[in-house]
Amino acid sequence: MIVTVTPNAALDLTYRVPVLTPHASHRVTDVTERAGGKGLNVARVLAALGHDVTVTGFVGGATGHALRAHLTRVPGITDGLYPVAGATRRTLAVVDTRTGDTTQLNEPGPTVTPAEWAGFLAAYEELLRGEDVRAVALCGSLPPGVPVGAYAVLIRAARAAAVPVLLDTSGEPLRRGVAARPDIVKPNADELAELTGAHEPSRATRDARRRGAHAVVASLGAEGLLALTPEGTWRARPPGPIRGNPTGAGDSAVAGLLSGLVRQLPWPDRLSNAVALSAATVAAPVAGEFDAAVYEDVLPKVTVTGAEPPTQ
């Protein structure tokens, strides 16, 4: 089983319009609603790949009730969300179907009390004690009230339980989380630059790894992934650009990395799967899904270059 943690889960709404024009009224041609937030997107992709996944994080209010109802319809996902008094946030994605560009509006999330944080932490540690837990992913932003060092606490708990942990967040939670030595950290180029102050990806990934991450996998958008690991350094590139909605592409890359981790695949194969899943998500209509035909087409065409470190 894989556990994904989404502290700031959301009810995702996706609107599709023929053309998005500022200061104008729009006729929406299609509306999609589903359980969202980075860790829930990761979980949905993992479940589609055949993994058993338990999702946790905070959930509350009518929005949270709707989110949990959506989860019951996803095979392979177990709801381990922790209830709070505040209401789960909503996110709104507006997709311009002419260009494929997406405009995203994200609410801040519920305010979590100290007692709710303590209760969640106890429930999380109980999950980690399960004999079948093979990996944990910590994903996304923190809602108001949760300590900025929360991910560092969750990483140390996973390490104490000997469960591999992947971190995918940004800003100060990323900075503090990296120092707790996660097994994998997966920032995008902007998050990596903010963390390290370096805008050149190779230099920035080296700096991030020196800060404590066991392995750093940087998402470079349409350019693919750059991975710096104890086993070597690799660049994984898709065969070409994919037109569509990029929302959730990074989450699918995380799912590919986790799937490869629990299947004990070598790093080049993990990266190929992550890049192909990311591309296939761009081709899908909403985050947390991937186009299976695009995935099968792209996977053998991903180019992975690099080398293992020299033997001592």
Side-chain angles (χ1 to χ4, degrees):
M1 179 181 72
I2 298 173
V3 175
T4 70
V5 181
T6 313
N8 214 4
L11 186 66
D12 284 350
L13 300 173
T14 302
Y15 288 176
R16 303 179 74 85
V17 298
V19 179
L20 181 61
T21 305
H23 315 298
S25 297
H26 297 79
R27 186 174 297 278
V28 177
T29 58
D30 182 67
V31 180
T32 304
E33 179 184 277
R34 61 176 44 229
K38 293 181 71 65
L40 296 183
N41 293 337
V42 171
R44 191 178 290 106
V45 174
L46 285 168
L49 293 172
H51 297 281
D52 291 326
V53 189
T54 292
V55 299
T56 190
F58 301 103
V59 67
T63 316
H65 180 76
L67 181 152
R68 299 185 97 159
H70 281 290
L71 285 179
T72 63
R73 299 193 285 270
V74 184
I77 292 182
T78 298
D79 179 354
L81 292 164
Y82 188 84
V84 295
T88 295
R89 66 185 180 132
R90 295 163 296 182
T91 69
L92 175 62
V94 183
V95 180
D96 184 320
T97 55
R98 181 189 62 175
T99 64
D101 292 338
T102 301
T103 299
Q104 191 84 16
L105 302 173
N106 298 328
E107 295 180 358
T111 298
V112 176
T113 68
E116 288 168 340
W117 163 245
F120 167 78
L121 183 57
Y124 170 77
E125 291 173 341
E126 180 65 28
L127 268 178
L128 292 176
R129 286 192 280 270
E131 293 182 358
D132 60 341
V133 177
R134 302 185 64 190
V136 172
L138 309 175
C139 304
S141 62
L142 299 174
V146 172
V148 70
Y151 279 137
V153 174
L154 299 180
I155 289 165
R156 286 193 287 268
R159 291 180 60 82
V163 177
V165 57
L166 181 152
L167 176 64
D168 182 15
T169 188
S170 61
E172 190 62 22
L174 173 61
R175 189 181 309 277
R176 298 199 187 192
V178 166
R181 304 185 64 80
D183 294 89
I184 304 172
V185 62
K186 196 222 67 73
N188 62 33
D190 290 340
E191 293 161 352
L192 191 60
E194 182 183 6
L195 173 67
T196 66
H199 292 272
E200 197 285 311
S202 295
R203 178 180 176 185
T205 52
R206 289 194 298 270
D207 187 289
R209 190 157 182 261
R210 283 195 294 267
R211 291 168 182 258
H214 189 66
V216 179
V217 181
S219 176
L220 306 179
E223 297 300 314
L225 299 174
L226 170 64
L228 179 60
T229 81
E231 290 78 25
T233 301
W234 289 273
R235 278 293 305 269
R237 295 177 173 88
I242 302 292
R243 187 176 182 274
N245 177 10
T247 305
D251 303 333
S252 290
V254 168
L257 295 172
L258 286 169
S259 179
L261 171 67
V262 300
R263 292 160 58 199
Q264 299 182 325
L265 297 179
W267 270 104
D269 291 341
R270 298 187 201 183
L271 298 170
S272 293
N273 275 282
V275 168
L277 283 168
S278 183
T281 296
V282 173
V286 291
E289 291 184 358
F290 64 93
D291 187 306
V294 172
Y295 171 67
E296 295 294 339
D297 177 64
V298 170
L299 182 59
K301 300 175 183 177
V302 175
T303 302
V304 181
T305 58
E308 296 181 1
T311 56
Q312 301 296 322

